[in-house]
């Protein structure tokens, strides 16, 4: 009986159907609590997954602050650069898609587009990895996990290349407020991707050591949540930073 | 930062505790939970709570001494006690200390100790993360205060307006200590917030639905949500400041078009929820104290909870009232003025509910109750002067005067701190097994209350007379001398009140040692679950996991209605409380690694300020702590494997290290 | 509860994990939308600015929602995750919109 009740707990509570998903948190809890046994959690959700979602909720405010700072400073930079003499010697008017009056900016949209496709693709390989480990297909799990990490690394390599290009074109971190805001926002995202790569490799190593298999697929799922979050942040950054017209 | 461990802590009584020695290189896993060394490795939420309490009281004395220095300087016109530079450092550190190193950790002390007990759990969801939060906070606090010896403390005011805090205007490293120190303290808050949110949502005892939780649990939960969402904003603000100061970014470089208002907005987007982070725990505490000492259930429980949530929610839409004179534009001023007035409504609801709880109750004025009444009265005064700030024209007059200083001390000292003292007296017997002396408690209360009003009452007058805050001295002709004298005298009365508290602890502890008196599980005839177990709380909290039927369940087990509808006693606490004698409860094992990991953070801080080479020891510490954490099973695996027939859900016990490894990677 | 009921419940649970083909379809749609987005860059001069902003924003939101709903399972998982994540998201959008309004970034005042 204990086993049965625990199985009940592990299933996601039937909250996806319309009636319950509209229920208030308190009501929803009541429903689940009836099944709670000593070993389960009140909501039936694993602690780790709840932790990750809470963390991601918090990250919304973090990236919100960075994106807002960027938008504000791009706007201010446009006003600021408009008042500078063309071809400022210290390059203070080098901006996203234009610099002073020479019409050339730092952005290389086709290049960044490829990076975006790569990161988007890594989200697909991530779900495939999760799906594989759930079905105990360990070989494809290993392939997809490594592919995801590799795609992430290519993205980071692209970002490093892009940053060096920008610096060569004259836009450094201290050049102007656009530079500071741009490098800070994309840099924070890059650090997040890098951490994600470390997490993926850790997952891979643990699997190799035999410490991670299909009954711990949740660990992969949690890493995946983080990875997809980093991807959605890039969806925002790509449009807001790169694609919005000047 | 997320390092997780997954382990259902609501362990069955009967699960066998096995202690296995696990050598990890030179270090063996700590096993002992007694003795002084155990405090460094403990993951017990109660011990961590006590350490938060001790730490915050220590910094309370520290910040209090800073306050006294300010008051000595200002006691008479043309004070000579502190130089201008030192005065700036002292008032800045007084503010930073009292907000981040006193009130917040004091609330964390109550949250850590009481949240698991009040929801009927054996520990928090992630005990090692909890230990990490504490050590991280302590590391940040000490890091911040080492600035005193390393070229001077931060001197830019507690809200550190840029560009006044840029390298040009604040050339020393004081502001670096501010930015990085608060960053470390912020990590502690964020980790602890996530941990406690998961604990409250996921680890409630059977039957304890959200709307049966005690009001304190609710208020602490709202506080943790505020921290969860507010900390990242200050994190970014502090990063921008650090990047400006250390790496030549232009965020607050006005010459390049940087905006000083950016800092102000980001700081106060965090800062205003922070105000509620400071006050809501105290609201929660007195919502436990007042019903107990009125012998009535809390009046309007749903409204009490709802208004707390409403305050937490509305607290996000009022931040720019700190910036009415910053040139944010008249539309902003009008909008924020309006929203600020609205937030007075849920606060008013709370005050009315406390009064209605007391109305017709059989009141006992023990020390906790006195402090709680003090909170209601003092916070109301502070709330009313707050409404005068919501009125923008009046605020324009009052900004940066002592009127503001008076206002926020009435809410933070008169509200938060008196509330915390109420909590100290209330839960002292639960934590330490003896009551604090009522006589000294009353001396403590009256000295503090009188001293508090002497200190901060006249500041209203001084502010309206035009005395500006943060000025190192004033001239005799200004005519501020008389009230400033009273204020300074009042500050010393508060100091004596604090001394009375310390004497009280000392005397009460001594007499409890000399002739121990059994306080019993429930000395106050209280209402929530923590009183249903022995005092002091046994290490495993509950012998048997409680099952909850009602809101105020413990009270309902003691009292019931007879046929005529009169309240009659059903049982005595001593007969129905758990005696804490269970010996077979399996508990999380202590760990060194949270401490080691947290020690790396201040070293990273010094590295950013001084030399990159320090990154090597910092990195080593970080890696050691991190790997040690990841490789160490969160819990003794043998014990967890005792019931393999429970299906795969159970295996998380042993899996903790695996999870820690990859989650931990998001530390950043 | 009978064994059959439990089995049914477990089966229902398994149904919440979409097939790989489904994920491929989602990814294909996402790639298509991204291609549209990139395409706007090349026709920038011949399309009204407001239309560019509007279509780019709409595409961005659709992509965001799709990744969150399907790849992150937000659509199928317990509502608690939605409360936490959407709570943070809505709060962030609200707070930073007010922030922009205060800076008059939309040029309204």
């Amino acid at each position: 009986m204990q086993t049965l009740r625990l199985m009940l707990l592990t299933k996601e509570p039937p909250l996806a159907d319309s009636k319950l998903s509209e229920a208030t948190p308190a009501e929803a809890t009541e429903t689940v609590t009836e099944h709670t046994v000593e070993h389960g959690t009140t909501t039936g959700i694993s602690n780790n997954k709840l932790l990750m979602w809470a963390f991601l909720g918090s990250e919304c405010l973090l990236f919100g602050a960075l994106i807002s700072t960027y938008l504000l400073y791009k706007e201010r930079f446009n006003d600021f650069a408009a008042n500078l003499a063309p071809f400022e010697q210290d390059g203070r008017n080098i901006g996203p898609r234009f610099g002073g009056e020479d019409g050339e900016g730092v952005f290389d949209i086709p290049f960044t587009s490829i990076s975006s496709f790569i990161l988007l693709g890594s989200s697909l390989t991530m779900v495939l990895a999760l799906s594989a480990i759930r079905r105990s297909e360990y070989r494809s799990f290993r392939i997809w996990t490594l592919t995801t990490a590799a795609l992430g690394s290519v993205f980071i390599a692209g970002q490093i290349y892009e940053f060096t290009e920008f610096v060569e074109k004259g836009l450094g971190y201290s050049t102007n407020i656009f530079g500071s805001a741009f490098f800070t926002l994309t840099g924070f995202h890059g650090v997040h991707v890098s951490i994600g790569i470390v997490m993926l490799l850790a997952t891979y190593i643990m699997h190799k050591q035999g410490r991670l298999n299909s009954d711990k697929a949740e660990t992969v799922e949690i890493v995946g949540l983080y990875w997809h979050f980093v991807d959605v942040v890039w969806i925002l950054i790509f449009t807001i930073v790169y694609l919005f017209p000047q | 930062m997320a390092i997780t461990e997954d382990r259902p802590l609501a362990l069955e009584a009967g699960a066998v505790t096995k202690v296995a020695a696990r050598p990890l290189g030179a270090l063996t896993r700590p096993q002992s939970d007694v003795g002084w060394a155990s405090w460094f490795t403990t993951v017990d939420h109660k011990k961590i709570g006590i350490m938060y309490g001790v730490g915050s009281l220590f910094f309370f004395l520290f910040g209090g001494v800073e306050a006294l220095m300010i008051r000595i300087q200002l006691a008479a016109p043309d004070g000579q006690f502190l130089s201008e530079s030192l005065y700036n450092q002292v008032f800045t550190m007084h503010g930073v200390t009292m907000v981040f190193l006193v009130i917040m950790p004091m609330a964390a002390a109550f949250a850590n100790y009481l949240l698991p007990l009040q929801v009927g759990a054996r520990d928090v969801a992630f005990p090692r993360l909890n230990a990490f939060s504490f050590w991280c906070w302590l590391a940040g606090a000490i890091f911040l205060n080492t600035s005193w010896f390393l070229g001077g403390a931060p001197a830019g005011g507690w809200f550190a307006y840029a560009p006044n805090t840029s390298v040009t205007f604040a050339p020393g490293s004081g502001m670096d200590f501010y930015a990085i120190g608060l960053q470390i303290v912020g990590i502690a808050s964020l980790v602890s917030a996530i941990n406690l949110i998961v604990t409250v949502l996921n680890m409630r005892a059977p039957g304890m639905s959200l709307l049966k939780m005690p009001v304190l649990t609710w208020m602490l939960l709202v506080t943790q949500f505020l921290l969860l969402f507010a900390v990242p904003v200050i994190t970014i603000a502090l990063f921008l400041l650090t990047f400006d100061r250390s790496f030549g970014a232009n965020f607050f470089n006005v010459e390049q078009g940087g905006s000083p208002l950016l800092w102000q907005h980001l700081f106060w987007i965090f800062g205003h929820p922070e105000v509620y982070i400071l006050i809501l725990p105290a609201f929660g505490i007195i919502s436990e104290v007042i019903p107990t000492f009125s012998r009535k259930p809390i009046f309007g429980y749903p409204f009490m909870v709802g208004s707390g949530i409403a305050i937490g929610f509305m607290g996000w839409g009022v931040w720019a009232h700190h910036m009415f004179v910053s040139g944010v534009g008249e539309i902003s001023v009008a909008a924020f003025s309006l929203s600020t007035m609205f937030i007075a409504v849920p606060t008013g609801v709370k005050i009315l509910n406390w009064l209605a709880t007391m109305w017709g109750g059989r009141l006992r004025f023990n020390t906790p109750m006195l402090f709680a009444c003090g909170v209601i009265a003092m916070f109301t005064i502070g709330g009313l002067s707050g409404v005068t700030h919501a009125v923008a024209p009046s605020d324009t007059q009052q900004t940066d005067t002592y009127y503001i200083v008076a206002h926020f001390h009435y809410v933070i000292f008169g509200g938060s701190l008196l509330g915390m003292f109420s909590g100290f007296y209330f839960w002292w017997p639960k934590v330490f097994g003896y009551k604090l002396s009522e006589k000294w408690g009353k001396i403590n209360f009256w000295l503090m209350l009188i001293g508090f009003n002497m200190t901060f009452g006249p500041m209203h007058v001084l502010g309206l007379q035009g005395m500006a805050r943060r000025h190192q001295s004033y001239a005799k002709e200004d005519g501020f001398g008389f009230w400033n004298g009273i204020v300074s005298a009042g500050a010393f009365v508060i100091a004596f009140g604090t001394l009375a508290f310390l004497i009280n602890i000392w005397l009460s502890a001594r007499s409890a040692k000399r002739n121990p008196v059994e306080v019993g599980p429930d000395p106050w005839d209280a209402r929530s679950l923590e009183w249903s177990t022995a005092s002091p709380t046994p290490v495993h909290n509950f012998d048997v996991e409680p099952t909850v039927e009602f809101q105020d369940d413990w009270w309902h087990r003691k009292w019931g209605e007879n046929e005529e509808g009169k309240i009659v006693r059903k049982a005595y606490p001593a007969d129905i409380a758990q005696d804490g004698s269970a010996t077979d409860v399996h508990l999380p094992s202590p760990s060194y690694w949270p401490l080691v990991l947290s020690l790396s953070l201040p070293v990273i801080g010094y590295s950013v300020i001084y030399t990159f080479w320090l990154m090597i020891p910092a990195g080593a510490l970080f890696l050691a702590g991190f790997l040690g954490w990841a490789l160490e099973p969160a819990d003794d695996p043998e014990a967890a494997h005792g019931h393999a027939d429970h299906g795969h859900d159970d295996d998380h016990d042993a899996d903790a290290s695996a999870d820690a490894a990859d989650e931990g990677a998001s530390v950043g | 509860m009978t064994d059959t009921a439990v089995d049914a419940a477990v089966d229902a649970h398994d149904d919440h994990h979409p097939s790989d083909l489904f994920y491929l379809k989602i990814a294909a749609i996402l790639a298509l939308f991204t291609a549209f987005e990139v395409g706007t860059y090349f026709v920038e001069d011949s399309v009204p600015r407001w239309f560019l902003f509007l279509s780019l924003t709409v595409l961005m939101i659709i992509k965001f929602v799709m990744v969150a709903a399907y790849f992150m399972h937000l659509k199928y998982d317990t509502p608690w995750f939605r409360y936490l994540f959407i709570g943070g998201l809505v709060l962030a959008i609200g707070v930073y919109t007010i922030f922009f309004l205060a800076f008059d970034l939309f040029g309204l005042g």
Side-chain angles (χ1 to χ4, degrees), chain B residues 430-600:
Chain B
K430 179 48 67 188
V431 177
F432 297 108
Y434 60 88
K435 279 187 184 180
L436 289 173
S437 141
E438 276 295 313
K439 188 183 95 188
W440 280 97
K442 284 181 173 135
I443 294 172
N444 175 8
F445 170 72
W446 287 111
L447 278 177
M448 269 202 168
L449 192 78
I450 293 166
F452 166 73
N453 280 293
M454 269 173 76
T455 310
F456 300 108
M459 284 191 186
H460 291 107
V461 182
L462 282 170
L464 293 178
Q465 285 178 347
M467 181 171 171
R469 70 194 278 205
R470 297 181 168 175
H471 282 211
Q472 180 247 5
S473 65
Y474 52 92
K476 199 163 192 291
E477 303 82 64
D478 292 338
F480 301 143
F482 172 71
W483 285 118
N484 269 305
I486 306 270
V487 168
S488 293
F492 280 90
V493 178
I494 297 178
F496 283 117
T498 312
L499 194 64
F501 179 63
L502 297 177
I503 292 173
N504 193 351
I505 295 175
W506 185 58
L507 289 180
S508 306
R510 200 181 57 171
S511 84
K513 210 170 193 178
R514 285 186 184 165
N515 49 7
V517 184
E518 186 63 47
V519 285
D522 183 16
W524 308 112
D525 192 13
R527 317 179 71 86
S528 44
L529 281 179
E530 72 270 26
W531 304 102
S532 72
T533 188
S535 307
T537 319
V539 65
H540 53 278
N541 291 2
F542 299 102
D543 296 337
V544 183
E545 189 181 30
T547 312
V548 175
E549 245 183 293
F550 307 100
Q551 190 232 321
D552 285 345
D553 197 71
W554 172 240
W555 190 85
H556 283 277
R557 282 189 239 164
K558 294 182 293 184
W559 300 90
E561 284 187 2
N562 65 8
E563 298 83 43
E564 291 129 44
K566 290 193 87 173
I567 307 285
V568 290
R569 187 178 276 287
K570 288 200 299 196
Y572 285 92
D575 300 330
I576 52 171
Q578 305 186 5
D579 59 3
S581 60
T583 51
D584 52 358
V585 182
H586 176 65
L587 289 167
S589 320
S591 174
Y592 294 112
W593 306 115
L595 175 59
V596 174
L597 190 60
S598 64
L599 282 180
S600 70

Side-chain angles (χ1 to χ4, degrees), chain A residues 11-12 15 23 43 45 49 53 61 64-65 68 97 109 113 117 120 131 134-135 225 228 232 239 244 246, chain C residues 9 13 17 20 31 34 37-38 41 44 49 53 57 67 71-72 74 77 79-81 83 85 88 96 100:
Chain A
K11 89 177 168 59
E12 280 125 331
L15 296 168
T43 54
I45 308 164
K49 226 167 137 184
W53 275 110
L61 274 287
S68 308
R97 294 230 202 131
I109 301 293
S113 303
F117 276 111
L120 200 61
S131 165
R134 277 212 175 109
R135 291 192 309 262
L225 287 177
H228 297 308
V232 293
T239 304
F244 272 167
Q246 291 301 308
Chain C
H13 165 65
H17 300 310
D20 288 0
T34 310
E37 285 181 339
V38 176
Y41 169 68
E44 216 169 77
R49 271 170 63 92
F53 273 113
T57 310
V67 173
F71 285 176
M72 295 168 95
L74 215 46
D77 244 334
W80 287 99
F81 299 153
Y83 300 146
F85 186 63
Y96 297 120
F100 287 144

Side-chain angles (χ1 to χ4, degrees), chain A residues 29-79:
Chain A
T29 325
E30 296 252 21
T31 329
V32 181
T33 311
E34 290 171 17
H35 302 292
T36 307
V37 289
E38 274 183 302
H39 256 71
T41 60
T42 319
T43 54
I45 308 164
S46 96
N47 286 348
N48 283 348
K49 226 167 137 184
L50 196 57
L51 175 144
M52 182 46 94
W53 275 110
F55 174 69
L56 294 183
S58 161
E59 289 271 282
C60 290
L61 274 287
L62 185 104
F63 277 105
L66 285 167
I67 293 174
S68 308
T69 303
Y70 173 81
L71 279 174
L72 176 72
Y73 273 18
K74 194 185 83 172
E75 210 53 37
R76 289 179 75 91
F77 168 75
N78 287 349
D79 297 343

Side-chain angles (χ1 to χ4, degrees), chain B residues 75-92:
Chain B
D78 303 313
Q80 300 293 324
F81 183 65
L82 296 173
S83 68
E84 284 95 337
S85 155
L86 199 56
Y87 182 82
N88 287 349
Q89 296 173 35
V90 169
F91 81 68
T92 300

Side-chain angles (χ1 to χ4, degrees), chain B residues 12 52 87 155 226 252 264 335 351 359 393 435 491 493 499 533 568 573 599 602 629 649:
Chain B
E12 290 165 272
Y52 265 119
Y87 182 82
L226 289 175
F252 308 114
Q264 296 192 18
I351 289 172
W359 183 264
K435 279 187 184 180
V493 178
L499 194 64
T533 188
V568 290
L599 282 180
W629 188 319
D649 202 39

Side-chain angles (χ1 to χ4, degrees), chain A residues 4 7-8 10-13 15-16 20-21 23-25 28-29 35 43 45 49-50 53-54 56-57 60-62 64-65 67-69 71-72 75-76 97 109-110 113 116-117 120 123-124 127-128 130-131 134-135 221 225 228-229 231-233 235-236 238-240 243-246, chain C residues 1-3 6-7 9-10 13 16-20 23-24 27 30-32 34-35 37-38 40-42 44 49 52-54 56-57 59-61 63-65 67-68 70-85 87-89 91-92 95-96 99-100 103 105:
Chain A
L4 290 187
M7 284 171 78
L8 272 176
T10 52
K11 89 177 168 59
E12 280 125 331
L15 296 168
L20 275 173
S21 58
T24 65
T29 325
H35 302 292
T43 54
I45 308 164
K49 226 167 137 184
L50 196 57
W53 275 110
L56 294 183
C60 290
L61 274 287
L62 185 104
I67 293 174
S68 308
T69 303
L71 279 174
L72 176 72
E75 210 53 37
R76 289 179 75 91
R97 294 230 202 131
I109 301 293
S113 303
S116 302
F117 276 111
L120 200 61
S123 254
L124 174 66
V127 284
L128 293 179
L130 173 61
S131 165
R134 277 212 175 109
R135 291 192 309 262
E221 190 180 352
L225 287 177
H228 297 308
F229 177 77
D231 187 33
V232 293
V233 171
I235 289 174
L236 301 183
F238 182 51
T239 304
I240 291 172
L243 291 178
F244 272 167
Q246 291 301 308
Chain C
M1 187 176 277
T2 65
D3 285 15
V6 173
D7 287 346
V10 172
H13 165 65
H16 290 318
H17 300 310
S19 67
D20 288 0
Y23 286 137
L24 274 171
L30 285 170
L32 192 68
T34 310
E37 285 181 339
V38 176
T40 62
Y41 169 68
F42 296 100
E44 216 169 77
R49 271 170 63 92
L52 277 177
F53 273 113
L54 186 70
L56 281 171
T57 310
L59 284 168
M60 175 178 84
I61 293 169
K63 283 169 68 186
F64 188 104
V65 172
V67 173
Y70 298 110
F71 285 176
M72 295 168 95
H73 284 116
L74 215 46
K75 190 165 186 280
Y76 312 111
D77 244 334
T78 149
W80 287 99
F81 299 153
R82 260 167 278 161
Y83 300 146
L84 278 171
F85 186 63
L89 198 62
L91 190 65
V95 163
Y96 297 120
F99 168 90
F100 287 144
F103 271 109
L105 208 63

